[in-house]
Amino acid sequence: MTTVKNIYDFINSIAPFDTQEEWDNSGHLIGDFRKEVKKCVIALDATKEVCLFAKEVGADLVLTHHPIIFGGLDSVKAGTAVYTLANAGIAAVCAHTNFDKAEGGINDNLAIILELENIKHTDNSFIVTGELEYEMSIDDFAQYVADKLDCRGIRFTNTDKPIKTVALGGGACGDEAEAAMQYADCFVTGDMKYHEMLDASENGWAVISAGHFETENAPFLMLKDKLESIFADVEFIIAPRENPIETI
């Protein structure tokens, strides 16, 4: 029999929860640690739709990257994601910055999707590097990233510098650009604010802002294969969720 704690302990073994950032809220957030898990829904975010889906399929656990409880929670009302899970007796475990930093975590998986070689972890725990098979221009590499990650929209700085070595920081790692550029020809991340992009351009850095969802969703869902190899008695189901951001 597999319990919520068994799955929590496995994640803790590959992405220790005590490595999460101080401001984060990863871990076991809702439900009974001892509850048996026969069905587990996996998603990037524990949205209302994801939680309703978990209830509909009779899930015992929802496993997400982004915490379902983040910051102050003043109330738990009907119709909210937290209420839906708690009322249905569904547990929630979230692996956020601990999985960002882990070997085999978000950035390692992002490197696999981008088919980078010689993947290395840097002194910066949020940055992983890898190499392209051959050099590309920034225009060609941005298109390559967009194709691999199925980006709805992509922003990048212009440069004549050829791209060979790539630094990765999925999600909101715009403030890590300066550190990332110490290791690579180009930095690929999810969210970069306008002034972060402007500073990068002024410094002559090649950076690509590919989208938060795009740089984390598929890399997080790759955890499913590892879980299935360990917990054969659990059905792991990916929630049917697409990028919530629409573009024209």
Side-chain angles (χ1 to χ4, degrees):
M1 181 182 80
T2 297
T3 65
V4 172
K5 187 177 187 302
N6 293 147
I7 293 176
Y8 173 96
D9 287 344
F10 171 71
I11 295 173
N12 190 52
S13 72
I14 62 172
F17 287 102
D18 63 7
T19 64
Q20 68 181 286
E21 294 293 286
E22 291 183 2
W23 49 263
D24 196 9
N25 194 35
S26 292
H28 171 227
L29 304 184
I30 298 174
D32 188 347
F33 228 21
R34 300 163 297 178
K35 181 180 177 66
E36 181 179 4
V37 179
K38 295 181 179 179
K39 287 186 180 181
C40 173
V41 167
I42 306 175
L44 181 66
D45 303 288
T47 63
K48 289 189 290 184
E49 291 76 12
V50 166
C51 294
L52 285 171
F53 173 78
K55 181 179 178 180
E56 289 171 2
V57 300
D60 306 293
L61 171 66
V62 170
L63 172 62
T64 64
H65 181 48
H66 296 137
I68 187 171
I69 300 173
F70 203 57
L73 185 63
D74 297 325
S75 62
V76 178
K77 297 180 180 179
T80 63
V82 172
Y83 179 91
T84 298
L85 294 190
N87 190 51
I90 302 171
V93 171
C94 306
H96 189 206
T97 53
N98 58 311
F99 195 65
D100 285 330
K101 300 175 181 181
E103 292 193 16
I106 290 291
N107 292 320
D108 282 349
N109 290 344
L110 184 56
I112 292 170
I113 294 170
L114 294 177
E115 298 183 12
L116 301 183
E117 303 171 344
N118 301 321
I119 300 169
K120 298 177 182 177
H121 283 244
T122 68
D123 293 336
N124 183 313
S125 58
F126 284 107
I127 303 299
V128 167
T129 64
E131 295 179 358
L132 292 165
E133 182 180 359
Y134 52 86
E135 290 184 348
M136 294 186 185
S137 67
I138 186 64
D139 291 340
D140 288 343
F141 182 53
Q143 185 62 59
Y144 176 85
V145 171
D147 291 342
K148 288 291 185 181
L149 301 182
D150 192 24
C151 296
R152 299 277 184 91
I154 194 165
R155 297 180 297 136
F156 60 95
T157 59
N158 194 21
T159 179
D160 294 328
K161 180 181 178 181
I163 309 302
K164 175 67 172 177
T165 305
V166 179
L168 302 173
C173 279
D175 57 355
E176 304 290 346
E178 183 175 2
M181 291 308 301
Q182 297 177 25
Y183 305 104
D185 302 318
C186 182
F187 177 43
V188 177
T189 187
D191 297 329
M192 288 198 76
K193 299 176 183 177
Y194 170 77
H195 287 289
E196 292 172 336
M197 294 285 288
L198 182 62
D199 288 343
S201 179
E202 290 285 298
N203 284 305
W205 298 337
V207 299
I208 295 176
S209 182
H212 200 122
F213 182 90
E214 290 86 345
T215 57
E216 289 195 327
N217 185 59
F220 183 71
L221 298 182
M222 289 168 70
L223 182 58
K224 178 175 181 282
D225 290 340
K226 291 182 180 179
L227 290 166
E228 288 177 332
S229 69
I230 301 296
F231 303 104
D233 59 330
V234 179
E235 180 183 0
F236 292 94
I237 306 168
I238 292 176
R241 181 169 183 261
E242 297 181 353
N243 189 340
I245 306 303
E246 298 291 340
T247 58
I248 297 176

